[in-house]
């Protein structure tokens, strides 16, 4: 059952931490040592990736980017291609984050194109979805999640993680309740089973994101279908990120035997 899914903790630094701050953070994190049984990924800004890749060489920590373009190269000013990320040793990429959707014109379709290109180049994809407050209040949460996952069948489920991030919880300090998170994750897994089949869906990790922090990570990460977290604000501090990792490790210990 849940024992097959290794907990995954991902730090999404957004537009924080240049090279010097990245180095200081990663040195602290490596010294603290991530707990066993948990997979940990950090996603710094593009400009910090080369230095981060160097510092993380030989460690168990994974490295991710926060976006990727859907073409391998070309006249796309300001964009970064999957082969460029691979060249740096990046293994993961976040796609379709709600900030990309709300502020930079990302759509379900463009997010899927990015994800497909990333997978084609061997990157693991963290595909973000989630409803706005207005959509939740209108009772449209599941309809939105259905729309946002409609094209996922084009992707390889073996290299795909879905991140449920209710938009109203991101950066607001207002997290989903354990019931809201588990209900959405359960529904998402049901939906993924419809797309990929029950076996692959049971193996897929679904992360919760949105004001995840040490004060709520224990209970949120204990939910049966919450396989880890995508963490913004609380991932910027080594101590709070480590505290969340420890809660994920408790989950691993609790369900892994
Ligand atoms: P937050 O961000 O933890 O700061 O709410 C989460 C995210 O946007 O991935």
């Amino acid at each position: 059952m849940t024992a097959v899914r290794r907990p995954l903790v991902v730090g999404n630094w957004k537009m924080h931490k240049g090279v010097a701050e990245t180095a200081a953070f990663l040195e602290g994190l490596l010294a603290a040592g991530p707990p066993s049984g948990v997979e940990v990924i950090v996603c710094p800004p593009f400009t910090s990736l080369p230095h981060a890749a160097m510092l993380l060489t030989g460690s168990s920590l994974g490295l991710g980017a926060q976006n990727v373009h859907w073409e391998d190269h070309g006249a796309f000013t300001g964009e970064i291609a999957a082969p460029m990320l691979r060249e740096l040793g990046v293994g993961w990429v976040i796609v379709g984050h709600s900030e990309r959707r709300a502020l930079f014109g990302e759509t379900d379709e463009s997010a899927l194109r990015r994800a497909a290109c990333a997978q084609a180049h061997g990157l693991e994809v963290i595909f973000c979805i989630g409803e706005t407050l207005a959509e939740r209040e209108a009772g449209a949460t599941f309809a939105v999640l259905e729309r946002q996952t409609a094209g996922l069948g084009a992707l390889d489920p073996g290299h795909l993680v879905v991140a449920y991030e209710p938009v109203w919880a991101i950066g607001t300090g207002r997290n989903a309740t354990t019931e809201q998170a588990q209900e959405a994750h359960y529904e998402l897994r049901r939906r993924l089973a419809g797309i990929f089949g029950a076996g692959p869906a049971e193996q897929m990790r679904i992360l919760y994101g949105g004001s995840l922090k040490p004060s709520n990570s224990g209970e949120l990460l204990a939910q049966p279908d919450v396989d880890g977290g995508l963490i913004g604000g609380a991932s910027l501090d080594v101590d709070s990120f480590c505290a969340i990792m420890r809660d994920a490790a408790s989950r691993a210990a609790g369900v892994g035997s």
Side-chain angles (χ1 to χ4, degrees), residues 12 14 97-99 165 169-173 209-212 230-234:
N12 172 16
K14 309 191 181 187
H97 190 277
S98 71
E99 286 151 16
E165 298 204 302
I170 296 177
T172 58
S211 298
L212 191 63
L230 178 56
I231 304 132

Side-chain angles (χ1 to χ4, degrees), residues 10-14 94 97-99 128 163 165-175 208-213 229-236 244:
V10 182
N12 172 16
W13 294 1
K14 309 191 181 187
I94 298 170
H97 190 277
S98 71
E99 286 151 16
C128 302
E165 298 204 302
V167 177
W168 46 272
I170 296 177
T172 58
R174 177 183 168 192
N175 58 281
Y208 169 77
S211 298
L212 191 63
K213 48 186 181 277
L230 178 56
I231 304 132
S235 76
L236 296 172
I244 296 171

Side-chain angles (χ1 to χ4, degrees), residues 96-107:
H97 190 277
S98 71
E99 286 151 16
R100 302 289 327 164
R101 293 174 188 261
L103 303 172
F104 302 104
E106 187 83 273
T107 62

